[in-house]
Amino acid sequence: MAAGVGLVSGTAHAADPVAPAAHGAAAAPGANPGKGGTLPGGKTFSSPADRTVRTPLPGSGAGAAAAGAREASRDAYLAIDLEATAPTAHSIDLRTLVTGEPAELDITIAWGDGTTDRLTASSSGSDWRNTEHKYAKVGAYAVTVTVKDTTNGVQAVNRLDFVTSGSEFTPHAPTRLLDTRAGLGAAQAKVAGRGSVVLKVGGAAKVPVGVRAVVLNVTATNATGAGHVVAQPRDYGFDEGSNLNYAAGQTVANQVIVPVGEDGSVHLINGGWEPVDLLADVTGYFTASTASGYTTLDPVRAVDTREGLGTAKGQVPGYGTFGVDIAGRGGVPKGATAVALNLTVTNPRAAGHLTAYPGGQAAPSTSSLNFTAGQTVANSVIVPVGPDGKIAIRNGSWDRADVVADVVGYYSTESRSALVSIAGPYRIMDTRKDSWGRKAGPIPARTYLPVRLDGDTTNSDIDGWVLNTTVTNTTGAGFLSVAADPNTWPDYLKGTAVTPQRPVSSSLNWTAGQTVPNLVQTSGGKGGMVDFWNQGWQDIDLVFDLLGWYQTV
């Protein structure tokens, strides 16, 4: 068995539990991103006061009194200014500013989902308030505010169009959208050093126009120098974040979840100084409408060909395919529309690639991860589940290889946890640098680094985190495990934190001298904290970026 892949039994690298890494737990940005934090990608909706429609208040009286009320209403000023933000995946924070004559006000907010809130106020000329509301489903809503000034006999109405920040998932059969080697989706030419390619997503390959975010498996190949790739909804220029790292001569893939720009495109930026070919395969997309929500799971090993778990024992033959009963096992319910996996190849006898796709279908001409002979490498994948409840995995090499797959979550129509994605990779930590109260320094061998992502909470409302993790400065083989921490940040501050159980699954694998990235979807537990375990026997440096999070609130 390969020493670099975690085993269910946990015996491959058995060791006593260890304390947190030498520098202690690390705090990420203080603001809770799920409650209106300052991370990039937030949107403000507004309907200014000049859009107010003002009319005489109906039923203000009869005869001379009514005529007087109508005359007064023509002279009375009343206006509504509306502004809204989306503090969580399903909620709205609405600010109403009512300006007018001193009066008694009757305010009604119709949220657009069939519910209303009614408020009363005594105004000396203006009334300002914030009101929060949670929607049962993600989507677009017309919020209408009606203000009745009973003192001056006038009514005002203004409407604001709001879209929740949360999006739900629709699986898509793996389809190639970009191949710069063949001129598919872009010019037939390498992406220049420090250059970018604009990939049209909305409206391509049956991905709908207006899509909010897309799941892509991005592959870099034919590079003559080292570099990295950044996926963004538009070209913001170069920042610290990254989605994929590559070396000269290497073919390497990584999954990205990236927001789609208003023009329906995403930008793939070559952060290296030399040109590189880029490929991109779509496996799903997110829209602001009810589809499939996400449920995070503690990593569960579903496949290990070395042990006969999930399939027959023994290496997968060259160009061989096997099916996996995924629905109804390992916490994945029947009816799941897609499954989130960490897919690993180990002991391959020749170079090649793996392709994961829905059961009952022909193998697509796409790849999920690429490998060389003898390499152990992992990649995160989101795989649609076939009508038979299965997924299929194909060995695209001409020779045999072992395959390992860990389930980290699933999508289903019964789940309501929606994705909130940010504008691009947001750098949370780089252990090579001082950051957020932690001194620069590697993660020692066989230890873990706990990181706070969600403030000083003891009841996090974020169900799952989407992270891009990268390990670098490696001097030996090993693997990284990422898991929820059972403690809270106050537990660490008080010195009462318990040592978490060492995970048995792997999130990414490396050998000496490699820089290896992988996307990770993980729970943060009750305290919004995530542990990064160095399961190797040498120190490593860790870099990780935030891509988004899932919420039911």
Side-chain angles (χ1 to χ4, degrees), residues 172-179 181 184 216-219 253 279-283 343 352-358 361-370 381-384 392-397:
H172 190 289
T175 305
R176 182 142 295 170
L177 297 183
L178 173 70
D179 188 341
R181 303 169 304 179
L184 175 65
L216 298 174
N217 195 62
V218 178
T219 303
L279 294 75
D281 303 325
V282 60
T283 61
L343 184 64
H353 64 274
L354 296 183
T355 301
Y357 59 98
Q361 300 183 10
S365 57
T366 59
S367 59
S368 300
L369 67 83
N370 300 77
V381 294
I382 295 175
V383 189
I393 300 175
R394 180 178 184 267
N395 176 12
S397 171

